[in-house]
């Protein structure tokens, strides 16, 4: 689960940094934040997305101070690609020091496990998404299947964690595959997972 390193004052967050190595959780949180602030119908007018290596700081600034057209808030999303250049960093610090009450700036920073979140001056909420321990990944796998209407026994959860990388995206891909081929079967056993992910070569969907 993400952890907040700094909680802003009582006013609604205007600058949120989502940083960490667990990209699957980070992206899910990002999408929730976007949907909370701007509807799909208003995205063409009140949503901007930029990449730090490509955006001109002046263009970013103009997007940040523009008033919303159809939604109550504008959302500006900035993907960090390495360390931001000095002029871009100055723009970010300038905005964070006095953010617009009608604009939410979301900054996404995906890095390796031992990376460090960007530090900005001003009122910034930082949500961190570290790689989860094996035990937490197993718990997450069970909850992921529960949300899909399936049951994943503890031993099956431990098994899928043991054959996956430390990234939840890899686990989710295997579980999605199991969900797809499980049909009406509610419980997904370790044996079923072995068949679905290809450990057992002879597999038919209805064998689950």
């Amino acid at each position: 689960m993400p952890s907040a390193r700094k909680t802003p004052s009582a006013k609604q967050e205007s600058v949120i940094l989502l940083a960490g190595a667990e990209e699957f959780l980070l992206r899910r949180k990002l999408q929730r934040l976007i949907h909370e602030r701007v509807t799909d119908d208003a995205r063409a007018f009140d949503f901007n997305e930029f990449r730090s290596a490509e955006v001109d700081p002046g263009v970013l600034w103009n997007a940040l101070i523009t008033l919303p057209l159809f939604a109550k808030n504008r959302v500006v999303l900035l993907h960090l690609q390495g360390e931001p250049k000095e002029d871009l960093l100055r723009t970010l610090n300038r905005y964070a020091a006095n953010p617009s009450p009608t604009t939410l700036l979301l900054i996404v920073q995906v890095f390796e496990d031992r990376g460090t979140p960007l530090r900005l001056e001003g009122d910034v909420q930082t949500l961190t998404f570290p790689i989860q321990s094996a035990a937490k990944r197993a718990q997450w796998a069970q909850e992921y299947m529960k949300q899909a209407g399936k049951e994943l026994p503890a031993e099956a959860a431990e098994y899928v964690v043991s054959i996956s990388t430390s990234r939840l995206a890899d686990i989710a891909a295997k579980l999605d595959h199991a969900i797809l081929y499980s049909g009406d079967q509610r419980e997904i056993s370790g044996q079923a997972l072995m068949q679905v992910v290809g450990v057992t070569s002879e597999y038919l969907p209805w064998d689950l």
Side-chain angles (χ1 to χ4, degrees):
M1 298 295 292
S3 58
R5 295 183 56 193
K6 178 181 178 183
T7 301
S9 56
K11 68 180 182 180
Q12 190 177 41
E13 298 93 339
S14 293
V15 183
I16 301 177
L17 170 65
L18 300 95
E22 184 41 76
E23 189 172 1
F24 188 85
L25 292 181
L26 187 155
R27 298 290 178 187
R28 295 184 81 179
K29 178 63 175 180
L30 173 65
Q31 290 304 314
R32 286 196 294 269
L33 288 171
I34 293 174
H35 285 299
E36 288 172 1
R37 293 293 185 96
V38 61
T39 65
D40 292 339
D41 293 338
R43 281 201 183 194
F45 305 94
D46 294 318
F47 177 78
N48 293 106
E49 185 171 7
F50 303 105
R51 298 189 179 278
S52 64
E54 304 168 0
V55 65
D56 178 85
V59 172
L60 176 62
W61 180 260
N62 287 335
L64 289 169
I65 64 173
T66 299
L67 293 174
L69 187 58
F70 292 111
K72 291 183 179 180
N73 301 97
R74 283 179 52 76
V75 174
V76 176
L77 173 59
L78 176 66
H79 299 274
L80 287 185
Q81 300 167 299
E83 291 293 324
K85 296 179 181 179
E86 288 187 12
D87 54 351
L88 179 59
L89 185 58
R90 283 196 299 269
T91 297
L92 293 174
N93 279 321
R94 178 187 174 193
Y95 181 77
N98 187 27
S100 168
T102 60
T103 297
L104 170 63
L105 171 60
L106 295 172
I107 305 173
V108 171
Q109 183 186 20
V110 178
F111 48 63
E112 295 302 320
D113 195 18
R114 298 183 182 277
T116 303
L118 177 71
R119 298 188 67 87
L120 292 175
E121 301 170 5
D123 200 4
V124 179
Q125 182 184 27
T126 299
L127 302 177
T128 57
F129 298 82
I131 294 297
Q132 305 290 293
S133 67
K136 287 186 177 180
R137 293 199 300 273
Q139 292 174 359
W140 179 88
Q142 289 182 292
E143 182 60 28
Y144 187 84
M145 295 298 272
K146 182 179 179 181
Q147 293 175 0
K150 303 290 184 179
E151 293 181 3
L152 189 68
E155 61 273 16
E158 293 170 1
Y159 168 72
V160 74
V161 168
S162 72
I163 62 169
S164 304
T165 67
S166 60
R167 311 288 172 158
L168 294 183
D170 186 27
I171 297 173
K174 292 180 173 65
L175 296 179
D176 286 343
H177 201 52
I179 292 170
L180 178 64
Y181 286 101
S182 63
D184 296 330
Q185 185 72 32
R186 182 171 177 82
E187 182 177 292
I188 309 298
S189 66
Q191 180 63 31
L193 280 171
M194 290 177 64
Q195 294 174 320
V196 170
V197 298
V199 176
T200 300
S201 58
E202 294 182 2
Y203 162 74
L204 293 174
W206 47 86
D207 287 338
L208 288 174

